[in-house]
Structure formats: C-alpha cells, structure tokens
Amino acid sequence: MSSPNIAPQIEESWKQVLWDQFQSPYFSDLKQFLLEEKKHYSVFPPGKFIFNAFNSCPFDKVKVVIIGQDPYHDVGQAHGLCFSVQDGIPFPRSLVNIFKELSDDVGFRMPHSGNLQKWANQGVLLLNATLTVRAHQAGSHQNHGWETFTDCAIQRLSEQRVGVVFLLWGNYAIKKRELIDETKHYVLTAAHPSPLSASRGFFGCRHFSKTNALLMSMGKSPIDWQL
C-alpha cells in the first residue's frame, strides 16, 4: 500500500474503483500543481468539497450522471457538485435556467436554495470534468489532470454498471459520449443551460421527466427533483 497522502479522502467504493488513478504519475503531478496554486491563490471549492460528488453518491448507487465543466469560481459558490451552489448563495444563471426547465417539465417549484445535495443523495452524480478552479479565473485548472481522472470515472461507470442515465448538456459534455457504452446505458443530450444557449435546445428538452421514465422502466425509483 502506498503512503496515505497519495490517495485523497474519497468514498470507499470510488477509492477502490479509481485506486490505480491515485497511483498514476499524472495524479501526483496534479496534486503538486494544486499545492503550488494554493500557495499563491484561493482555490475553489474548499478541500473538503473537492470530491463531494463522489462522496455523496457511492459507485454502486449512481443512477444518473450530469456532467459540468468547471466549478463556479466566485467566493462561496462551489461545493463540489456541478451546477450547485451552497445555501444562501444567489443562483447562477445556468442554474436558474435548469430550474425553469424543471418547472415546465415536472412542475418544479422555485426553491430557496440552489444546493443540489438532495439530488446527489438520491444517486445523481453531479460531476464537473475539472474539480478545482482558481478564484475568479474560469478554466484555470483545466488540462492539469482532472479531466483524465473524471473521464476514467465515467468510463468505469460505463464498464462496470448497467442502466445509468447520462445527461450531457452542451458541446463540452456531449464529447464525453464517446466514453459511454450506449448498448448498456442511456444518453440524453441537449444544449447547455447557459443564457447563451438555453433557448437553442435546453428549454423543452424535458430531460428530468425522461430520466424518471427511464429509471422506472428499469424498476428503479425516480428522482425527486424538488428541493
């Protein structure tokens, strides 16, 4: 067993599934990069939340995967779940549009908090491709190893599980389709919920009701989307 500082604090089933990644040279380089970043900049989310998506949703409990790109980069927003913000934080515009689609699709009532932890607890893996970001600099931690790690997580789900529903919003997420075996899983694609693109195919996609219909067709419990 390698020294304990190599593997991060992550939920046990994911630790087993991804153990080889934690031992890989790229992950060691990524850790060193993060240590250097934290010497000079604020990094989001806080360390305890970096693996929140995994810690909230054990490998064998994943029913749905939503893929984001980067954590939010302003103070207090990011807590390790894509598109989600911590309690008391104003809703980012993409999250507002997600809630609008939920309202039209399943009669969702606008919540007081944009914290999507309830979804994660029900088996929705809210996975950003990049798990950290420098404060106020979107995309600043891309191409340092996180994408290799999260791509592997998607591939392991594809290989070792059956019947997961993947929601891919926007061109970046849709490119992850090549990692997924669609003979075993379901893939739903739409435009990104960003204000720049939501009206070009996110609004009206009805992914939330479609997801629940697919889950129920497999004998699984639907997601209660209401927060």
Side-chain angles (χ1 to χ4, degrees):
M1 187 72 71
S2 299
S3 61
N5 67 337
I6 290 184
Q9 294 298 310
I10 191 172
E11 192 275 332
E12 187 61 34
S13 64
W14 281 108
K15 183 181 285 187
Q16 294 176 17
V17 167
L18 297 171
W19 182 256
D20 60 328
Q21 301 302 295
F22 299 133
Q23 311 309 308
S24 296
Y26 86 84
F27 202 86
S28 178
D29 292 344
L30 171 59
K31 286 188 67 175
Q32 192 59 46
F33 166 74
L34 290 173
L35 288 171
E36 289 298 315
E37 281 286 285
K38 289 177 181 179
K39 289 178 182 177
H40 305 288
Y41 308 100
S42 293
V43 173
F44 300 138
K48 65 180 180 178
F49 288 132
I50 290 174
F51 295 102
N52 194 20
F54 300 97
N55 294 338
S56 301
C57 196
F59 183 79
D60 60 344
K61 303 294 186 186
V62 176
K63 297 195 287 189
V64 181
V65 179
I66 299 176
I67 298 175
Q69 187 165 355
D70 251 11
Y72 296 125
H73 53 79
D74 286 335
V75 175
Q77 292 180 307
H79 65 127
L81 306 177
C82 71
F83 295 107
S84 179
V85 290
Q86 299 192 68
D87 295 337
I89 299 296
F91 302 167
R93 289 178 294 174
S94 291
L95 186 58
V96 170
N97 288 338
I98 289 170
F99 289 163
K100 285 180 180 177
E101 176 58 23
L102 272 161
S103 177
D104 291 342
D105 187 12
V106 297
F108 178 88
R109 300 180 305 279
M110 189 64 72
H112 297 295
S113 172
N115 190 329
L116 306 182
Q117 186 70 48
K118 180 181 174 183
W119 296 1
N121 295 344
Q122 297 177 77
V124 182
L125 183 68
L126 294 163
L127 183 64
N128 276 316
T130 303
L131 297 187
T132 57
V133 68
R134 186 187 298 173
H136 315 302
Q137 295 190 39
S140 49
H141 286 187
Q142 291 177 9
N143 302 314
H144 287 281
W146 277 132
E147 296 92 338
T148 301
F149 178 77
T150 54
D151 280 359
C152 180
I154 295 166
Q155 286 179 303
R156 299 281 161 88
L157 281 169
S158 178
E159 292 162 0
Q160 299 179 33
R161 294 288 312 284
V162 176
V164 175
V165 182
F166 291 84
L167 306 184
L168 309 182
W169 299 335
N171 292 334
Y172 183 89
I174 290 170
K175 290 177 182 176
K176 304 296 183 183
R177 189 172 199 160
E178 64 189 30
L179 305 172
I180 302 163
D181 182 350
E182 294 185 57
T183 67
K184 298 167 58 183
H185 303 282
Y186 298 94
V187 175
L188 302 180
T189 64
H192 194 276
S194 157
L196 298 175
S197 55
S199 61
R200 300 202 299 268
F202 180 76
F203 291 141
C205 71
R206 299 199 171 274
H207 277 187
F208 305 99
S209 59
K210 289 176 180 177
T211 292
N212 279 347
L214 289 168
L215 292 174
M216 289 187 287
S217 75
M218 294 182 280
K220 300 178 181 180
S221 57
I223 304 300
D224 177 6
W225 298 109
Q226 187 63 53
L227 298 172

